[in-house]
Amino acid sequence: MAGIKAFVDSCNGTLDSVPDRYMMPNGAADVSRYAVLPIVDVASKSFERDLVDACAKYGMFQLKNHGIHTEDVMRCALEFFNSPSEDKMRYYTEEIFTPVRYCTSMMPSKEEKLEWHDHLQMWLKEESLGAHPWPAFPASYRDVGSEYARNIFKLGKRMLLVMSEGLGLRTSRLLEAFEDMVLLTRANFYPACPNPRQALGMEGHTDSGGLTFVLQDGVGGLQLKQGEDWYNVRPLEGMLVVNMGDQLEVRLSNGRYKSILHRVMVNSKSSRLSVGAFLGPSLDAEISPIPELVSQESPAKYRSRTYRDYMHEVYTEHFSGKNVYVA
Ligand code: OGA
Ligand code: NI
């Protein structure tokens, strides 16, 4: 299982139907609606107010003037995916906690149906970016990836301080709950697909981490669910799509900040690239609703678990068709 890109490439443009293994039972209907999402400007005077508002009311928004060098990161990721399959396969593993994981779909050996993407996933710690086993190609990955991660840590911490106050908590409260933060980065490559109604780039999910930052190219395909309907998230050049993940929002805030259900459609004309960064607590941090946010009127909705156990459950439960995030 060398991944979907290698398969599509090997067909040399003759692939005209979706292989059975990728046929999703309820394929995705074409959606032409666009989500109305706030644009939060980090350089604006009203940044703090706008951020809290966007987190509480929308759970997903576009971030501008964020200071991340988006082009470098996208270029490195694309060069990695465009490298020979045998080179990429050196990093192939289904193990979710390996520092560098190249894989396809979620856990292909366990999945009946596969998602139409390959990905490169890395677990990063702020204090050891230099020592991280970065992919050997492209050669610039180490420098570009380290700088990108450093900037995401910086931006994320600044946002968490504001978001903590937005919940009426001490400024540093969320950061403290995260303990020693980890950043999971995940570059996703979605090849062009002969029948985008039958396959899915990524099935509907909420992100398991705390705060998600997604860089997407101009192709489009990311969608979020509001009520019963799916809406496209418009790709806006240079902006980061930010959304709330399960740890921070659903668990720590006891439901006050919502973790947003989203998915990715594929496209018949073009491949698509995205790079997600998921800022989360230390894998060993015990995550439960912050006591100040729990009261008789608002009892704890979630039981305590470490981020590591939670991730494990998400993967296992995924295969049994349950959604753990409400439990
Ligand atoms: C993810 C994700 C969105 C995208 O990696 O969890 O939702 O646009 N990615 O690729
Ligand atoms: Ni996601």
Side-chain angles (χ1 to χ4, degrees), residues 79-259:
E79 279 183 43
F80 178 86
F81 289 115
N82 281 337
S83 300
S85 200
E86 340 39 295
D87 294 341
K88 289 186 288 188
M89 288 307 281
R90 278 167 39 208
Y91 297 99
Y92 190 92
T93 174
E94 289 200 356
E95 178 23 271
I96 48 181
F97 296 115
T98 19
V100 179
R101 158 181 152 139
Y102 167 64
C103 200
T104 190
S105 196
M106 231 172 144
M107 205 173 273
S109 69
K110 292 226 169 69
E111 290 168 293
E112 205 175 308
K113 297 292 177 187
L114 300 184
E115 296 177 336
W116 194 269
H117 71 87
D118 299 333
H119 61 265
L120 175 66
Q121 174 177 306
M122 289 184 248
W123 290 95
L124 302 167
K125 285 274 204 183
E126 191 173 19
E127 64 281 4
S128 54
L129 291 171
H132 185 77
W134 295 93
F137 53 92
S140 53
Y141 225 131
R142 173 177 296 275
D143 287 347
V144 169
S146 298
E147 197 204 45
Y148 162 71
R150 213 172 287 120
N151 284 328
I152 292 276
F153 272 114
K154 193 166 138 204
L155 176 67
K157 280 192 210 164
R158 180 167 171 210
M159 290 170 62
L160 285 170
L161 296 176
V162 176
M163 290 161 67
S164 199
E165 288 184 353
L167 290 168
L169 300 170
R170 261 187 302 113
T171 315
S172 57
R173 191 67 181 89
L174 286 178
L175 270 184
E176 282 163 20
F178 271 35
E179 293 176 16
D180 195 9
M181 291 202 288
V182 289
L183 181 66
L184 171 66
T185 63
R186 186 181 159 112
N188 303 299
F189 185 90
Y190 306 89
C193 171
N195 190 339
R197 304 274 174 90
Q198 293 173 332
L200 269 176
M202 242 176 237
E203 291 186 78
H205 67 279
T206 57
D207 292 335
S208 317
L211 197 53
T212 300
F213 301 85
V214 174
L215 266 174
Q216 54 170 335
D217 63 17
V219 175
L222 176 59
Q223 295 184 335
L224 85 160
K225 198 168 189 187
Q226 284 173 337
E228 289 307 301
D229 298 314
W230 291 96
Y231 295 83
N232 295 305
V233 176
R234 202 181 288 284
L236 296 174
E237 204 180 336
M239 290 206 200
L240 283 169
V241 178
V242 178
N243 67 268
M244 314 289 113
D246 299 345
Q247 299 306 314
L248 170 67
E249 316 302 350
V250 175
R251 305 187 69 74
L252 288 173
S253 79
N254 203 27
R256 298 259 296 273
Y257 287 155
K258 295 284 182 240
S259 183

Side-chain angles (χ1 to χ4, degrees), residues 4-5 7-8 15 17-19 21-24 104-105 114-118 189-195 198-203 264-267 270 272:
I4 184 65
K5 182 175 187 302
F7 173 71
V8 172
L15 184 66
S17 63
V18 170
R21 191 95 192 275
Y22 291 88
M23 290 251 220
M24 288 294 174
T104 190
S105 196
L114 300 184
E115 296 177 336
W116 194 269
H117 71 87
D118 299 333
F189 185 90
Y190 306 89
C193 171
N195 190 339
Q198 293 173 332
L200 269 176
M202 242 176 237
E203 291 186 78
V264 180
M265 308 280 287
V266 280
N267 186 300
S270 172
R272 173 174 184 267

Side-chain angles (χ1 to χ4, degrees), residues 50-103:
D50 296 346
L51 174 61
V52 169
D53 220 51
C55 289
K57 294 201 186 123
Y58 294 86
M60 185 183 263
F61 51 92
Q62 307 256 10
L63 196 66
K64 74 184 231 188
N65 291 320
H66 44 63
I68 311 283
H69 299 139
T70 55
E71 283 160 23
D72 296 346
V73 183
M74 294 292 268
R75 186 179 30 78
C76 268
L78 189 61
E79 279 183 43
F80 178 86
F81 289 115
N82 281 337
S83 300
S85 200
E86 340 39 295
D87 294 341
K88 289 186 288 188
M89 288 307 281
R90 278 167 39 208
Y91 297 99
Y92 190 92
T93 174
E94 289 200 356
E95 178 23 271
I96 48 181
F97 296 115
T98 19
V100 179
R101 158 181 152 139
Y102 167 64
C103 200

